[in-house]
Amino acid sequence: MKRSEVDRSKLSPMMQQYMDIKDKYEDTIIFFRLGDFYEMFFDDAILASKVLELTLTGKQAGLDERVPMCGIPHHAYASYVDELIDKGYKVAICEQLEDPKEVKGMVKRDVIQVVTRGTRIDSNMDSKDNNYIANIFDFNYCYGVSYADISTGEVYATLVEGDKEKVIKEITKNGFKEVIVNDTIDREIVERLRTNHDILVTITKEEYEEKDYQYIYKNIEDVRIVRTLKHLLFYILENKKGDLHHLQPCTIIKSSTYLEFDVNTKKNLELVETIRNRERQYSLLWLLDKCKTAMGSRFLKYSILNPLTSKETLEKRYDIVSLLSTEFILRDDLIHCLEQVYDLERLVGRITYGNLNAKDLIQLKNSVSVLPRIKEILQELKYEKKIDTFEEVYSLLESSIAEDAPFTLHEGGLIKEGYNEELDELKRISSGSKDFILEMEKEEKERTGIKNLKVGFNKVFGYYIEVSKGQCNLVKEEFGYERKQTLANCERFITPVLKEKENIILGAEERIISLEYKLFMDIREVIKRYGKDLQKTARIISEIDMLQSFSVVSDNYKYVRPTLTKEKTIRLIECRHPVVEQVMKDKYIPNDVIMDHTTNILLITGPNMAGKSTYMRQCAITVIMAQMGCFVPCKEATIPIFDKIFTRIGASDDLVSGESTFMVEMKEANYALQEATENSLILFDELGRGTATYDGMSLAQAILEYIHDKIKAKTLFSTHYHELTVLEKDLKHLKNVHVSAIEENGTVTFLHKVKPGAVDKSYGIHVAALAKLPESLIERADEILSIYEKKSIKKETFTQTSLFELTEVEAEPKKNEVEEKIKNCNPLEMTPMEALSFLYELQKDTKNKR
């Protein structure tokens, strides 16, 4: 049965209430609270039963047939919500807004929040990852992009000039899971984000117009960014519905402030996840993350994806990393303190929003307790940023919240003794009354002579006196016992005295739970006032945590402080790939990357598997590490500050878009050629291999010439087109280098050492042999190769072959003059002198032909 087919006039009041709420949330699965369960109905139930593997049942709702229904326990809903939103669904939590005990008739219900991929704020999230929700606002001539992590309160915004490709690259680079777009946007952008990148996209034109959250954008002058933020804020506030004042004033992302690169570079260099498994392990992030706090790990990831271009800021970071390595005892003390700091950013988010428990406040107290020592360490390090120590917060939490408080807020046990006099008095009453029960059991046994008499309690009947069947005849009328319940093996009674004490006990316990909850909420309100200051301190701690991680990594792996130069020179002596170096079993062979002001392009040749791609990657990763403020995997390093990095490494079809490897290559190459400046770094690995040989060579040479003459960016260009190495003669800023190998007795040994000059052999068949292809196949490949090598005529220049059919004249084979002379001569009629002379002429003709 579908919801749209229902005659609503026949529905029960509860189901009519459900239908009215569902009308407002058509694209959302509603968790509808009924007692101790969240129930789903109609299409929601059918869908959820399949996705969550729940039993699909039915419910009487006033109709002739039962409506589809499935449900989950309310205390275990979080894992079900996670599963649904991970699969791209939205979930609306519909709660009872009134206590059923105090209401006659139907309880009011409404949605208290909508949970989506980008609006999660619970404690089940990945602590080392930000969870951003973003939006795109199409202004027709440019795009506004803003994004926020609701769990931490961070808010960012930027403008993207240019076509839709650029805005898609901006979204995919940052790994956003959910994107909001305005209703005038190009629908191709929506389709590509949904289909190609599995991003949850919602289209809405609404914008926030209230004043409560104006502080987020009040200092921003650009009206386009303000409007973009209002568009995002409306969606967030409409869905979360709680207090979100932990959202921070927006940070404007200026492209000139950061080293820019797109999602292809992020993927090709394996900065935050590997290409093969898409996992954190064996990425640069995995290697560098020795952070002790979740905040530090998140800030490290952000820094990897947003390296800096400010020399002043980088030098300050180098200074702290260097000092921490020197003052290693101080660093150990700092690490010990950081290990006790919980996720302050997300704690503030939960405290402000209200979905916290007592454990969150205990974590906050423990975190705050080490801040005085961290402040002292930062002062000793002469760190320019100052943190607060929040003594008042620590004092309040230390005196109020019980260390063994439960997770839920409605069981009691939240507040320490001595914090509130009224609460202490109620606890004394409750405790004293319980002692009275034990005393009463003893007295009743003595008074009645019934030795196995017991005083017990259950939630249905309250307190009672229990007497076994065998001794019921001993119960006399003068005892004042009133029969309450008959069981198979006993009778249960109550007395006026017991009932009076029950009222006192239960009344006190209910008042204790109610008062403790009120006190807890009051404490939360006090802590909320410190939210902004706690966020500032959390930001500073996340940065110092990242810097101590850099220091530890640099010491462990022998990294050096880079020298930042204004000259356009790269000098990386004995540079290594930081991740490959740590995971490979053999000793890593370091290499120099030297490009002075006269060299802009390194044309890299060498065998397959010799390490060309690794050589290129390690150069780019070294630049990124340096521009994060980290030491680098070299013996000596001097680099300029780059503004952008572009990479084209590895073959990759875009099957979803129907684009071949070659088309993807050309698009990425075009993006680099259009956007690169002379302060950029370009990595092109075997560009042009996706098409016919002469096409590929022609394009590769043209691209090299374009970079050399027009862009003048530092470029590493690897190729198997050995004909391109002759360009060194004509392009004065291009230099040949090669990755060396030794061939002995038909086998090849890769030296992984980059040397000046070019090579003219790829050793492809040797690599195939190393891959253990069948011997007969390898032998046949050798035979075919020798035939091709004999046929080939090496030329220093080459031209594009015609794409059109040859004319009859062009198709006619040309006569070989040397062959014709040999055919026409008669050696038997020649004297020896004439024969030598004829041979000499033939040799001269052959040389001239070449």
Side-chain angles (χ1 to χ4, degrees):
M1 181 190 297
K2 293 184 178 180
R3 190 168 61 90
S4 58
E5 301 170 348
V6 170
D7 181 354
R8 296 197 179 195
S9 63
K10 295 181 180 179
L11 289 173
S12 64
M14 186 279 292
M15 191 54 68
Q16 285 181 351
Q17 183 188 51
Y18 168 81
M19 297 288 267
D20 291 341
I21 293 171
K22 179 64 180 177
D23 288 343
K24 302 174 187 176
Y25 299 93
E26 292 280 356
D27 64 340
T28 307
I29 296 173
I30 292 187
F31 279 22
F32 193 76
R33 182 71 177 268
L34 288 178
D36 290 336
F37 283 81
Y38 285 115
E39 304 288 2
M40 286 152 277
F41 302 105
F42 295 105
D43 299 342
D44 286 359
I46 295 169
L47 174 63
S49 65
K50 293 176 182 176
V51 174
L52 301 175
E53 298 181 359
L54 301 174
T55 301
L56 185 65
T57 61
K59 181 176 179 63
Q60 292 292 346
L63 303 174
D64 294 337
E65 59 179 300
R66 292 156 65 90
V67 303
M69 180 183 80
C70 67
I72 55 173
H74 80 94
H75 58 80
Y77 81 100
S79 60
Y80 294 101
V81 171
D82 288 346
E83 190 169 349
L84 284 171
I85 64 176
D86 285 344
K87 293 180 179 178
Y89 300 103
K90 300 179 182 180
V91 179
I93 309 298
C94 183
E95 280 289 356
Q96 297 173 170
L97 304 181
E98 300 172 309
D99 188 340
K101 297 176 185 175
E102 300 174 359
V103 177
K104 289 184 178 180
M106 192 169 59
V107 176
K108 286 184 182 178
R109 295 180 178 85
D110 204 352
V111 171
I112 61 166
Q113 66 166 315
V114 177
V115 186
T116 63
R117 284 182 179 178
T119 59
R120 295 178 62 186
I121 199 168
D122 55 86
S123 57
N124 294 334
M125 302 163 63
D126 185 347
S127 63
K128 293 189 174 186
D129 244 337
N130 279 102
N131 189 51
Y132 291 118
I133 180 170
N135 77 320
I136 306 172
F137 200 99
D138 189 347
F139 290 102
N140 295 322
Y141 61 93
C142 75
Y143 300 92
V145 175
S146 63
Y147 51 100
D149 184 337
I150 301 174
S151 67
T152 65
E154 300 161 79
V155 182
Y156 302 94
T158 188
L159 287 176
V160 178
E161 307 285 349
D163 61 15
K164 56 194 169 193
E165 295 295 334
K166 289 190 70 173
V167 77
I168 290 173
K169 284 178 182 290
E170 180 70 23
I171 295 297
T172 53
K173 175 202 167 184
N174 289 283
F176 300 137
K177 298 174 182 175
E178 181 176 6
V179 176
I180 317 305
V181 299
N182 64 330
D183 58 339
T184 60
I185 198 166
D186 184 338
R187 290 303 191 269
E188 186 186 340
I189 295 176
V190 175
E191 192 59 31
R192 286 176 60 182
L193 291 177
R194 285 174 175 167
T195 306
N196 297 12
H197 304 287
D198 190 30
I199 294 173
L200 178 63
V201 182
T202 302
I203 303 172
T204 176
K205 64 180 180 180
E206 303 294 340
E207 298 175 35
Y208 176 76
E209 296 296 347
E210 304 298 323
K211 295 183 178 180
D212 212 19
Y213 291 89
Q214 280 185 349
Y215 71 90
I216 293 174
Y217 52 79
K218 72 175 183 179
N219 294 323
I220 298 174
E221 295 179 358
D222 194 319
V223 293
R224 296 171 298 178
I225 290 182
V226 170
R227 195 169 177 196
T228 302
L229 286 165
K230 286 182 175 181
H231 181 245
L232 179 63
L233 277 174
F234 181 88
Y235 182 85
I236 292 173
L237 296 169
E238 184 70 12
N239 281 289
K240 297 315 290 180
K241 298 182 183 294
D243 186 352
L244 294 174
H245 280 89
H246 66 289
L247 292 176
Q248 303 168 36
C250 177
T251 300
I252 303 297
I253 303 292
K254 296 180 180 177
S255 58
S256 59
T257 309
Y258 300 99
L259 170 61
E260 293 183 76
F261 50 80
D262 66 3
V263 66
N264 296 311
T265 299
K266 169 186 167 183
K267 181 176 69 174
N268 290 333
L269 299 181
E270 298 184 307
L271 296 180
V272 296
E273 64 181 19
T274 57
I275 294 174
R276 175 175 292 183
N277 299 323
R278 301 198 67 178
E279 292 179 354
R280 180 188 178 100
Q281 189 174 21
Y282 303 133
S283 67
L284 180 64
L285 175 60
W286 164 80
L287 182 81
L288 296 182
D289 191 1
K290 300 293 185 285
C291 295
K292 300 303 175 183
T293 68
M295 302 174 293
S297 293
R298 289 197 300 271
F299 188 69
L300 171 62
K301 182 176 180 180
Y302 178 85
S303 298
I304 289 175
L305 297 179
N306 298 275
L308 303 176
T309 56
S310 167
K311 185 174 186 294
E312 181 183 1
T313 304
L314 291 173
E315 293 290 1
K316 287 178 181 177
R317 287 187 178 180
Y318 296 155
D319 289 342
I320 297 299
V321 173
S322 181
L323 194 55
L324 284 168
S325 294
T326 305
E327 301 288 343
F328 53 87
I329 295 177
L330 202 60
R331 184 181 71 189
D332 289 346
D333 198 1
L334 173 64
I335 289 172
H336 175 70
C337 291
L338 291 172
E339 287 173 337
Q340 300 173 65
V341 177
Y342 290 85
D343 196 339
L344 288 176
E345 289 179 326
R346 286 187 170 158
L347 285 174
V348 169
R350 290 202 290 276
I351 289 167
T352 304
Y353 187 67
N355 62 331
L356 77 161
N357 56 40
K359 299 295 183 187
D360 292 328
L361 292 186
I362 294 296
Q363 289 182 359
L364 178 61
K365 182 190 77 172
N366 293 338
S367 302
V368 168
S369 69
V370 296
L371 293 184
R373 178 55 188 148
I374 292 177
K375 184 175 183 178
E376 290 175 5
I377 293 171
L378 297 187
Q379 287 172 342
E380 290 183 55
L381 293 171
K382 296 183 173 57
Y383 192 60
E384 62 177 352
K385 298 176 183 176
K386 311 294 181 187
I387 65 170
D388 292 329
T389 51
F390 304 100
E391 284 89 351
E392 305 91 343
V393 171
Y394 178 80
S395 177
L396 172 61
L397 296 177
E398 173 64 16
S399 64
S400 60
I401 305 298
E403 295 290 341
D404 58 348
F407 281 99
T408 61
L409 302 181
H410 298 283
E411 295 180 10
L414 301 174
I415 306 298
K416 281 183 177 180
E417 185 177 346
Y419 179 70
N420 180 273
E421 288 185 14
E422 181 185 356
L423 180 63
D424 290 346
E425 179 63 25
L426 287 170
K427 286 182 176 179
R428 279 194 292 273
I429 292 171
S430 178
S431 176
S433 298
K434 288 176 182 177
D435 292 340
F436 165 81
I437 295 298
L438 296 174
E439 187 66 29
M440 184 179 182
E441 183 176 301
K442 180 180 176 183
E443 290 176 359
E444 286 299 302
K445 285 180 179 179
E446 292 175 356
R447 183 168 77 91
T448 62
I450 303 174
K451 300 301 180 184
N452 65 353
L453 176 149
K454 294 178 183 178
V455 177
F457 171 82
N458 68 36
K459 289 183 179 181
V460 178
F461 295 109
Y463 287 94
Y464 54 81
I465 296 171
E466 184 177 284
V467 180
S468 66
K469 285 283 189 186
Q471 294 193 317
C472 280
N473 61 325
L474 300 177
V475 176
K476 300 177 181 178
E477 190 174 340
E478 61 262 28
F479 293 169
Y481 283 15
E482 178 185 339
R483 183 175 279 104
K484 188 69 176 176
Q485 186 182 22
T486 300
L487 300 176
N489 58 351
C490 66
E491 297 276 356
R492 288 177 177 174
F493 306 88
I494 59 170
T495 67
V497 175
L498 190 61
K499 200 66 182 172
E500 179 185 349
K501 283 296 180 182
E502 176 188 304
N503 292 335
I504 293 173
I505 294 168
L506 297 182
E509 289 181 350
E510 284 183 8
R511 287 172 64 194
I512 286 169
I513 290 171
S514 176
L515 181 56
E516 285 205 350
Y517 180 76
K518 179 182 179 301
L519 291 171
F520 184 86
M521 288 295 109
D522 290 343
I523 293 165
R524 173 212 163 200
E525 289 301 316
V526 174
I527 301 299
K528 271 176 66 175
R529 299 174 202 156
Y530 295 90
K532 299 298 181 187
D533 293 328
L534 281 165
Q535 285 176 327
K536 290 177 184 175
T537 292
R539 196 70 174 172
I540 294 168
I541 288 178
S542 65
E543 183 176 30
I544 196 65
D545 191 15
M546 180 184 76
L547 295 179
Q548 72 77 20
S549 181
F550 288 167
S551 173
V552 170
V553 168
S554 298
D555 285 356
N556 290 347
Y557 306 142
K558 295 181 173 57
Y559 296 168
V560 300
R561 177 173 181 158
T563 300
L564 302 177
T565 178
K566 293 182 179 179
E567 301 294 326
K568 199 182 170 187
T569 61
I570 300 177
R571 182 177 171 81
L572 307 178
I573 305 302
E574 295 189 16
C575 180
R576 295 111 59 197
H577 190 298
V579 179
V580 175
E581 177 187 32
Q582 297 309 315
V583 299
M584 70 182 297
K585 297 176 182 177
D586 302 324
K587 183 181 177 182
Y588 190 89
I589 307 297
N591 277 298
D592 299 345
V593 182
I594 299 175
M595 302 174 76
D596 59 22
H597 65 279
T598 65
T599 305
N600 287 336
I601 302 173
L602 288 185
L603 185 61
I604 310 164
T605 50
N608 292 302
M609 284 184 60
K612 298 191 298 296
S613 296
T614 302
Y615 178 72
M616 298 169 73
R617 285 188 175 100
Q618 71 192 36
C619 176
I621 288 175
T622 298
V623 167
I624 288 171
M625 289 173 65
Q627 291 189 223
M628 290 167 60
C630 184
F631 288 8
V632 296
C634 302
K635 187 176 181 180
E636 176 189 331
T638 301
I639 63 166
I641 292 178
F642 289 96
D643 62 355
K644 302 173 185 177
I645 293 180
F646 303 91
T647 66
R648 171 60 209 174
I649 300 174
S652 59
D653 289 357
D654 190 347
L655 298 178
V656 177
S657 299
E659 293 180 345
S660 66
T661 296
F662 184 64
M663 177 57 83
V664 173
E665 274 190 348
M666 290 301 101
K667 281 192 169 183
E668 291 179 11
N670 180 56
Y671 178 69
L673 298 177
Q674 295 290 335
E675 300 293 328
T677 72
E678 63 178 352
N679 296 317
S680 301
L681 177 64
I682 300 174
L683 309 182
F684 282 160
D685 186 20
E686 299 183 33
L687 197 64
R689 64 182 163 183
T691 187
T693 303
Y694 288 117
D695 278 353
M697 281 195 292
S698 303
L699 283 165
Q701 178 172 339
I703 288 170
L704 282 167
E705 291 172 353
Y706 188 89
I707 294 172
H708 182 275
D709 297 337
K710 295 191 176 183
I711 302 177
K712 301 180 174 61
K714 294 294 184 188
T715 303
L716 278 67
F717 194 111
S718 75
T719 186
H720 281 299
Y721 298 141
H722 302 118
E723 292 86 347
L724 295 177
T725 58
V726 301
L727 292 173
E728 187 178 52
K729 297 177 182 178
D730 301 319
L731 304 181
K732 63 178 181 179
H733 299 301
L734 181 146
K735 181 180 178 182
N736 285 324
V737 295
H738 70 279
V739 188
S740 56
I742 296 176
E743 185 180 3
E744 292 179 328
N745 301 322
T747 61
V748 65
T749 303
F750 301 121
L751 300 181
H752 302 292
K753 199 69 181 173
V754 176
K755 297 180 180 179
V759 295
D760 59 0
K761 195 171 184 179
S762 291
Y763 298 99
I765 293 175
H766 296 85
V767 173
L770 290 174
K772 301 196 183 313
L773 267 67
E775 279 188 35
S776 59
L777 186 153
I778 299 297
E779 290 171 3
R780 176 60 180 151
D782 262 328
E783 291 173 9
I784 296 169
L785 178 63
S786 64
I787 294 169
Y788 279 129
E789 285 177 339
K790 288 176 183 176
K791 285 184 177 180
S792 68
I793 300 174
K794 294 186 180 179
K795 298 182 181 180
E796 290 196 355
T797 59
F798 51 89
T799 57
Q800 172 66 45
T801 55
S802 174
L803 298 178
F804 305 100
E805 291 186 7
L806 297 175
T807 64
E808 289 184 11
V809 175
E810 291 172 323
E812 186 179 334
K814 293 182 180 180
K815 293 181 179 180
N816 187 313
E817 293 180 8
V818 175
E819 286 184 5
E820 290 298 317
K821 283 185 179 182
I822 293 173
K823 286 179 184 177
N824 294 330
C825 78
N826 187 351
L828 297 176
E829 295 179 356
M830 288 182 181
T831 65
M833 185 57 70
E834 287 173 336
L836 283 172
S837 177
F838 181 74
L839 186 59
Y840 174 75
E841 290 296 329
L842 288 180
Q843 185 186 49
K844 193 164 73 170
D845 287 346
T846 304
K847 285 182 178 179
N848 289 337
K849 288 288 180 186
R850 289 183 180 176

